[in-house]
């Protein structure tokens, strides 16, 4: 794992944009994308850049169960507002959190991931070390699945909703095995509330109790952190 310390999200976005440029030049065609505040500056940097993504397909990590795509809190909406409406891409996919048959939707998503393959995967990290919505305890061999969100994730994500009761309690998330299948990975983490998860991920034991620790087993991971998120690193 390569840890790069940056002053702020703008600088982190520049570092990641440089990696993306290199990877696209090397032939990357499929991006795994993440939502949340951590990759926001990166998406802004892509939007401002001259990068041509018209031949690139994106496959997002996760979506809440039950939220309509038009809901401002849905990850469909987030991606549309932060990236898709500004940068034409060949195709983009997110899990269908409104599917009548969620198990079938999960299987279909795995098919899609298999068909395209993931080149560069973008990640944030939850305070409890989750990646995507793979909460602590998720098997490292997991594929796309329905997740019961933990109280700490519901609480953390409630800042995007009017009331905590409005936060969906379930999500459809790409699994850990799929994330690990990406050829390379960039993970962003900013702020002191991520410090514990980052130290566990980088220097703790590899264990499902901190899902992001699995990234220690991946050959090409770049972790972009500010000083606050890196504060517990040796
Ligand atoms: C959610 C998302 C994750 C994201 C995490 C952290 O739970 N499912 O993909 O990494 O939040 O979000 P933030 O970057 O806003 O701290």
């Amino acid at each position: 794992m390569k840890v790069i310390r940056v002053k702020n999200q703008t600088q982190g976005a520049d570092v990641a944009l440089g990696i993306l440029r290199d990877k696209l030049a090397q032939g990357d065609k499929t991006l795994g994308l993440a939502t949340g505040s951590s990759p926001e500056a990166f998406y802004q940097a892509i939007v401002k850049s001259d990068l041509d993504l018209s031949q690139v397909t994106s496959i997002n990590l996760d979506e809440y169960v039950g939220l309509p795509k038009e809901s401002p809190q849905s990850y469909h909406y987030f991606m549309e507002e932060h990236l898709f409406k500004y940068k034409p891409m060949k195709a983009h996919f997110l899990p269908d959190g409104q599917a009548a048959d969620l198990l079938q939707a999960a299987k279909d998503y795995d098919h899609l991931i298999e068909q395209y393959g993931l080149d560069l995967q973008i990640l944030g990290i939850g305070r409890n070390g989750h990646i995507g919505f793979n909460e602590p305890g998720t098997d490292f061999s997991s594929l796309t699945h329905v997740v019961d969100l933990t109280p700490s994730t519901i609480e953390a994500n409630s800042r995007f909703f009017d009331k905590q009761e409005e936060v969906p309690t379930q999500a459809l998330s790409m699994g850990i095995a799929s994330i690990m299948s990406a050829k390379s990975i960039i993970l962003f983490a900013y702020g002191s509330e991520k410090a514990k998860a980052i130290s566990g991920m980088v220097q703790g034991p590899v264990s499902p109790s901190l899902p992001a620790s699995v990234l220690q087993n991946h050959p090409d991971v770049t972790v972009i952190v500010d000083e606050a998120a890196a504060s517990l690193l040796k």
Side-chain angles (χ1 to χ4, degrees), residues 111-123:
H111 257 99
L112 190 84
I113 296 167
E114 211 177 295
Q115 189 189 332
Y116 283 91
L118 290 169
D119 292 324
L120 174 60
Q121 175 67 54
I122 304 302
L123 293 175

Side-chain angles (χ1 to χ4, degrees), residues 57-151:
T57 297
S58 68
I59 302 185
N60 258 78
L61 279 170
D62 47 12
E63 177 58 284
Y64 287 115
V65 166
L67 274 193
K69 291 182 180 130
E70 316 71 57
S71 157
Q73 290 84 15
S74 80
Y75 289 169
H76 277 83
Y77 187 92
F78 177 100
M79 291 309 304
E80 196 56 40
E81 289 301 306
H82 288 89
L83 185 63
F84 299 160
K85 79 174 181 193
Y86 302 107
K87 268 283 169 190
M89 294 174 79
K90 192 168 180 188
H92 30 74
F93 300 100
L94 282 93
D96 182 3
Q98 281 196 295
D101 184 345
L102 289 170
L103 293 183
Q104 188 57 47
K107 272 195 201 138
D108 294 346
Y109 211 63
D110 287 332
H111 257 99
L112 190 84
I113 296 167
E114 211 177 295
Q115 189 189 332
Y116 283 91
L118 290 169
D119 292 324
L120 174 60
Q121 175 67 54
I122 304 302
L123 293 175
I125 185 168
R127 295 174 196 179
N128 61 6
H130 74 237
I131 44 177
F133 265 133
N134 293 287
E135 296 282 27
T138 306
D139 204 282
F140 285 167
S141 64
S142 57
L143 298 174
T144 306
H145 57 292
V146 180
V147 178
D148 291 325
L149 300 176
T150 62

Side-chain angles (χ1 to χ4, degrees), residues 155-170:
E155 195 268 313
N157 291 2
S158 67
R159 69 190 195 278
F160 299 110
F161 293 79
D162 287 339
K163 295 190 208 117
Q164 189 155 320
E165 302 82 72
E166 289 174 11
V167 186
T169 55
Q170 288 188 313

